[in-house]
């Protein structure tokens, strides 16, 4: 029988290829095709971008950023802001240590990559997944140049993709030396300085061609975060960052360990920053408003402002001279149309750029009673109306007067002049606390206003600028006054913005504003604000918060409204601080100078003095006549020796009893002594400060 031959390998039928393998091969082919297509599209995009790039000379001549020159009301230059550019340094003139420091810390594979660094991108993605957020971007020097010149800093993938295209195109058109030259002459180093020469002059006082290793390390370290590492903002942080740069230079072989040890960034001497005066508080407030006024973002701007240099100097001096040691102060002065003529946000701009005139929110104390009495006058009350100063309890809250006693029937004028808390509480209960809050918002208070009964004593926090605006609106006969600081903006000689004053918004009827002015005059002439007198009609109000944490004086005269605040940033109590002392004196010092060249203006409502005001001098204060000397909060002349308040012959100790007798005569409960013609004269001394309000239930 014939033997059957085994089947050969070639004769076996090939097994059918599985569907999974066919799909995988198809997907692979599609992916390869897409990759080829995307690579081709990328090449096309890169070469299209390359063809549209400016020439090297054009890139050298195109600055980044916008220069802004700020002028005062008299045309003088206040400050020049924005970018500053030093001399352009060709690649060969840039110190070797500057080039190497930059490459070491910003892009150590700069010489080898094609414009983007795949290794850096991969590391960035790895860190992103490890930490859950983007920590490092993997951007090369070429990418940073593309972003600084052509794009913005938005962290969006679309922007990042365009950045890659431009970086690849830049590498195709320019040499590595040209790219590094462009980068070092155009990148932003903080403090308004663009390019290494501007940075070197700003931070070290000399040109970049003389940079040492330590200086180059400081400047190279600024690119990562110019505001954080700027030597003018934080010298220690700048030196610490320079140490990181030097270690990177050692790690990449640019310098030896011995050279690094000799560099010593800690011994660097930094150039002294230009002196900044208090006008910077104003420019810091006014210039951000440009974004809402104009659209121009490239052309150099000339900005014309409302600030008056002479008034600004007077305001600065008034705050420095009158704020007690360790106490901060702020001042805002508005012209009748809302133009800011002076703004001081603190005693020293260099040591603190925090603007207490526009940013700080503090309790205004009795200055807030402006809105209480405005609401009462609008509801029909008159300054001559009689109200009873008596104990009052509202929803469990029992306010007290600073004198710890009540005076019985008094006029609204007297109650306002001496800042009687119980009367303010009764008025608030009558007109409604929500009505008072609405009045405050109507007059420009932008911070939240509570409607608790204690709000009548100024427990809601406010800004000095808002309070000054409110008083200015009263001075404007009830028409809203809106503060503004920019009058005109020009670009390339063309006016692109012109301020227009809006006088159409009426807040209260003119007669209400006139009656309020009547009350404010009395507070200055006979009440808590006597030290704010300047020899011409003044209307104003003091404010003092519990434990003397804040002192305020706000008032107006001759078309100028000024607000003053004093206190500590940490809100600690300040012994002896009352609105009628240091703040009122600062107001008077400023206003005497600010109004000197203005005509004296009488108010429509002449001041009406309380009855006791025509009593003999020796009975209008609590000691013998002192020929007009200033008195402290206890009624004791400031230049008199301090007396023991426990002694029976001490006038200060007798002050409360004499004050009681005084109020009794004002309210008609005691006879007024017969007066002789020589007794009828303006008293020289103020009654004791009565503007200190306790917190609720105290």
């Amino acid at each position: 029988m014939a033997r059957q031959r085994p089947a050969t390998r070639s004769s076996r039928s090939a097994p059918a290829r599985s569907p999974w393998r066919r799909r995988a091969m198809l997907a692979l082919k599609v992916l390869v095709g897409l990759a080829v297509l995307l690579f081709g599209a990328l090449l096309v995009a890169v070469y299209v971008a390359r063809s549209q790039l400016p020439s090297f000379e054009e890139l050298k001549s195109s600055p980044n950023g916008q220069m802004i020159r700020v002028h005062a009301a008299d045309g003088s230059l206040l400050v020049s802001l924005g970018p500053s550019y030093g001399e352009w340094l060709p690649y060969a003139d840039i110190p070797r240590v500057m080039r190497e420091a930059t490459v070491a810390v910003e892009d150590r594979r700069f010489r080898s990559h094609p414009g983007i660094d795949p290794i850096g991108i991969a590391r960035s993605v790895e860190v992103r997944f490890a930490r859950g957020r983007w920590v490092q971007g993997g951007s090369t020097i070429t990418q940073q140049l593309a972003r600084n010149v052509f794009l913005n800093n938005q962290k969006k993938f679309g922007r990042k993709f365009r950045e890659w295209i431009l970086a690849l195109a830049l590498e195709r058109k320019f040499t590595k030396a040209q790219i590094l030259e462009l980068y070092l002459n155009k990148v932003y180093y903080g403090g308004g300085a663009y390019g290494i020469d501007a940075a070197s002059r700003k931070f070290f006082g000399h040109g970049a061609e003389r940079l040492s290793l330590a200086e180059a390390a400081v400047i190279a370290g600024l690119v990562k975060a110019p505001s954080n590492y700027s030597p003018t903002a934080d010298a220690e942080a700048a030196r610490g960052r320079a140490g990181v740069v030097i270690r990177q230079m050692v790690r990449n072989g640019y310098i030896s360990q011995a050279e690094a040890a000799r560099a010593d960034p800690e011994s660097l001497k930094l150039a002294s920053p230009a002196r900044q005066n208090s006008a910077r508080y104003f420019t810091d407030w006014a210039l951000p408003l440009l974004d809402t006024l104009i659209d121009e973002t490239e052309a150099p701007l000339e900005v014309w402002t409302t600030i008056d240099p002479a008034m600004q100097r007077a305001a600065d001096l008034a705050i420095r001279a009158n704020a007690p040691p360790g106490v901060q102060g702020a001042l805002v002065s508005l012209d009748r149309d809302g133009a800011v003529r002076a703004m001081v946000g603190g005693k020293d701009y260099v040591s603190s750029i925090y603007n207490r005139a526009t940013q700080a929110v503090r309790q205004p104390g009795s200055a807030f009673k402006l809105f209480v009495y405005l609401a009462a006058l609008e509801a029909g009350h008159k300054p001559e109306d009689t109200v009873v100063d008596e104990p009052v309890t509202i929803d469990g809250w029992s306010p007290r007067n600073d004198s710890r006693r009540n005076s019985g029937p008094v006029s609204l004028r007297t109650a306002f002049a001496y800042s009687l808390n119980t009367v303010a509480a009764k008025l608030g209960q009558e007109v409604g606390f929500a009505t008072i809050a609405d009045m405050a918002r109507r007059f420009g208070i932008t911070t939240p206003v509570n409607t608790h009964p204690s709000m009548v004593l100024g427990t809601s926090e406010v800004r000095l600028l808002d309070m000054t605006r409110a008083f200015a609106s009263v001075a404007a006969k009830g028409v809203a006054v809106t503060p503004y600081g920019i009058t005109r903006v020009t670009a390339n000689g063309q006016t692109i913005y012109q301020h227009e004053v809006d006088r159409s918004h009426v807040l209260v009827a003119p007669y209400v504003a006139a009656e309020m002015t009547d009350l404010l005059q009395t507070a200055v002439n006979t009440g808590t604000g006597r030290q704010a007198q300047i020899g011409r009609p003044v209307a104003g109000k003091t404010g003092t918060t519990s434990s003397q944490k804040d002192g305020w004086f706000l008032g107006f005269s001759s078309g100028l409204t000024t607000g003053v605040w004093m206190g500590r940033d940490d809100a600690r109590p300040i012994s002896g601080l009352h609105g009628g002392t240091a703040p009122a004196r600062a107001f008077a010092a400023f206003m005497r100078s600010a109004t000197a060249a203005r005509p004296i203006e009488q108010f429509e409502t002449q001041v009406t003095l309380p009855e006791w005001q025509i009593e003999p001098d020796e009975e209008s204060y609590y000691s013998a006549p002192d020929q007009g000397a200033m008195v402290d909060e206890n009624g004791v002349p400031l230049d008199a020796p301090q007396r023991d308040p426990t002694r029976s012959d001490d006038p200060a100790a007798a002050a409360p009893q004499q004050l009681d007798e005084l109020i009794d005569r004002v309210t008609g409960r005691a006879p007024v002594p017969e007066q002789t013609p020589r007794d009828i004269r303006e008293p020289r001394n103020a009654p004791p400060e009565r503007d200190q309000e306790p917190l609720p239930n105290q």
Side-chain angles (χ1 to χ4, degrees), residues 629-648:
M630 304 294 278
V631 298
D632 66 12
E633 62 270 21
N634 296 315
V636 179
L638 294 178
D639 58 351
Q642 297 297 312
R643 305 288 298 277
D644 183 355
T646 62
R647 289 177 50 187
S648 60

Side-chain angles (χ1 to χ4, degrees), residues 485-497:
I486 297 174
T487 59
R488 181 166 56 99
V489 180
T490 63
N492 298 321
Q494 301 294 318
T495 299
I496 60 176
Y497 170 77

Side-chain angles (χ1 to χ4, degrees), residues 80-105:
S80 182
L81 302 173
S84 62
Y85 302 95
E87 296 182 9
W88 187 279
L89 269 64
Y91 182 83
D93 294 341
I94 298 173
R96 178 183 59 82
V97 290
M98 186 70 245
R99 301 195 302 260
E100 292 174 346
T102 300
V103 171
V105 74

Side-chain angles (χ1 to χ4, degrees), residues 272-284:
S272 300
R275 186 178 182 277
Q276 304 287 350
N277 59 36
S278 64
R280 285 302 303 272
Y281 286 117
F282 169 77
T283 57
D284 288 352

